[in-house]
Amino acid sequence: MPASLRGWSSESRVRIGAGVVYKRRRMDGVSTKNVDVVLIGGGIMSATLGTMLKQLQPDWSIVIFEKLSEVGLESSNPWNNAGTGHAALAELNYMPEAPDGTLESSRAVNINEQFQVSRQFWSSLVKDGVLPDPTSFINPTPHMTFVRGEANVEYLRRRWELLRNEPLFEGIQFSDDPKQIYTWAPLLLKDRLKDEKIAATWIDSGTDVDFGSLTTQLFDYLKSEGASLRLNTEVKKIKKQKDGTWKVMGRELVGTTPFTVNARFVFVGAGGHALPLLQKSGIPEIKGFGGFPISGQFFRTDNPAVVAQHRAKVYGKAAVGAPPMSVPHLDTRVVDGQSSLLFGPYAGFSPKFLKKGSWLDLPLSVRPHNIGPMLAVARDNGDLMKYLIGELLASRKKKLAALREFMPTAVDEDWYLITAGQRVQVMKKDAKKGGVLQFGTEVITSADGTISGLLGASPGASTAVPIMIDLVARCFPDEYPVWEKKLARMIPSFGTKLNEKKAAAEKSLKQTAAALELTRD
């Protein structure tokens, strides 16, 4: 019996091939003591992992706890993120210029590879009827990069020259001709100074993803397959038991009824709240980790006359000292079938770890083991602190001026500010610096693989599927050899690199585009 199942001797077992399937009765309510999997948090990460496990092991019991009244209301909500479908087609922070001026494309290619894995998984779910209408969560939207100034124009040209020969970037175009750029995105050029040095790249295989809709549909599937979704329910503590299982404790917020559930595996996908929950679990792997919360705002317009003139996601270059997640971009968003435009983000600071979190989240996360790395990060990131203070003090007039750098004809009355989701960047120990601020995602897993959690932000949601494949391989080593065959059926490129074979990349892009109905008008 695998170590993760010791103490569960009452369960019946049947042998299938080389693997062992552990049978459990379906859980009908929280009062049931023993379950296979507990997912904490109702966002895209928990939804992805739950769906993957249900596809791989249908007889396992799954319980999801979500503090809010609906799933997908925090970072997965479409108005709390830019819904890019991160594929590094336009995001310059995935291909930064080195101090010596050189460029290297491997990270951009890797992120694109990961997004293709997510697309293949979604395509499989569409074919199987799990996701009934792909247009409800993913839509074709060209991706652009737009820069100003001679140095940036030259940088973008060199970036394009490296990427245009990569199979997953086939079709990417570059131009420094205002007439050409106007055909791609007229709002960028109207009323712009004629002598300004500008350049852009364009690729029409980009997408806009409504992760809120996708999250809701995945949880609908899980419920239809017997998973228990408990809303308005807060997990307060996670404690390891002598038998190797986890006692998950908390309360229902409506009526304040306490609950206790024992699970053999726990995933903490609670966004910014994952850090304090993992700290409460007591696993040594979380020691040295801290969180740096960053809030933000977007300008939004729903004016049909403005929206109709722009159909793309256009990324610029981040300001000096700005975090990568604050790269300015003018985005088409498609939510519930309606198109809008977003511009931002305008970064800010709040000690909350969630948009609907507590003002005490940051101070309560400080521990003796992470205060050193956190102080080191504060010491070494003066430019970031200066940038955030400037953003906090920025007036609406100044924010509108930033929009007009992208869109010179922007009219104040057309745009209103919305508050974006809270992002908690990872701070962790570093042998040389004492502590570093990490922009990205970090999976924390216990040594025995019985608990895991996700920290960090972008490109998170877009790469949820490959992240969860890595997680199940680490946490379920006994079952994984059997699961690999199922994963290969759902993800044709499983175990390979699409970008290394042009024909395979072309075939995959074509097949997923057809399955997800990513056709152009």
Side-chain angles (χ1 to χ4, degrees), residues 14 56 93 138 214 219 261 316 320 347 387 418 445 458 498 515:
V14 294
L56 297 172
N93 53 299
I138 187 167
L214 178 58
F219 278 123
V261 172
V320 176
Y387 168 79
I418 62 173
T445 303
S458 178
L498 281 174

Side-chain angles (χ1 to χ4, degrees), residues 127-142:
K127 293 175 182 177
D128 292 343
V130 173
L131 297 171
D133 178 16
T135 63
S136 65
F137 71 89
I138 187 167
N139 287 275
T141 308

Side-chain angles (χ1 to χ4, degrees), residues 454-501:
L454 189 77
L455 306 178
S458 178
S462 301
T463 58
V465 175
I467 287 172
M468 292 308 153
I469 290 174
D470 289 344
L471 185 149
V472 299
R474 293 164 62 183
C475 296
F476 302 98
D478 297 297
E479 295 88 348
Y480 190 70
V482 177
W483 290 351
E484 285 184 302
K485 296 180 180 179
K486 295 182 179 180
L487 287 168
R489 286 196 295 269
M490 291 187 286
I491 303 167
S493 69
F494 181 74
T496 66
K497 294 290 186 181
L498 281 174
N499 200 64
E500 294 176 357
K501 297 180 180 180

